[in-house]
Amino acid sequence: MASFAVNTPKGQVRLMDLPLDSFATIEEETGQRWVDVIVSPAASAKGALVVYRIACEHVGAEPEELTPQRLVGDPPVFEMVEDDLPEVYEGGVPKSEDDPETTG
């Protein structure tokens, strides 16, 4: 499943990795529900600015000025990325695909 990430001056931040406290701040400052922000972080200019700032703060980066061109640039500020979750589990625990089978 893909989800949005924010490209900050200090690297990429997946929205799903932000603490829920960050989304409470985003909700308070924008009036947007956190679940709506996750699926559409740039639905409004105010929302885009706040989400970008919160993501930058999360990694200790100084936010750059955003413009519509920067939002869609290369790379875009908000980008869909594939999940980084493991594909193989054993007994509910992530397992390397190279690990031999274990006996229960």
Side-chain angles (χ1 to χ4, degrees), residues 2 43 71 75 99 102:
L71 282 176
D99 283 350
T102 58

Side-chain angles (χ1 to χ4, degrees), residues 1-23:
M1 183 173 125
S3 59
F4 274 103
V6 183
N7 290 312
T8 75
K10 287 195 175 180
Q12 196 172 75
V13 177
R14 294 168 183 270
L15 290 183
M16 296 296 285
D17 292 341
L18 287 174
L20 205 51
D21 287 345
S22 294
F23 286 104

Side-chain angles (χ1 to χ4, degrees), residues 18-81:
L18 287 174
L20 205 51
D21 287 345
S22 294
F23 286 104
T25 301
I26 292 167
E27 284 182 334
E28 185 177 304
E29 292 185 24
T30 66
Q32 295 175 282
R33 297 178 327 147
W34 72 275
V35 293
D36 296 331
V37 171
I38 286 174
V39 297
S40 187
S44 71
K46 185 175 187 176
L49 289 166
V50 173
V51 172
Y52 177 68
R53 188 193 82 231
I54 296 285
C56 286
E57 289 172 0
H58 185 71
V59 294
E62 182 70 29
E64 297 174 347
E65 183 176 2
L66 292 185
T67 64
Q69 179 59 41
R70 173 84 172 88
L71 282 176
V72 298
D74 187 19
V77 172
F78 300 103
E79 178 175 17
M80 290 296 285
V81 294

Side-chain angles (χ1 to χ4, degrees), residues 89-104:
Y89 291 83
E90 183 176 306
V93 177
K95 178 183 169 190
S96 170
E97 292 182 28
D98 298 334
D99 283 350
E101 288 291 322
T102 58
T103 58

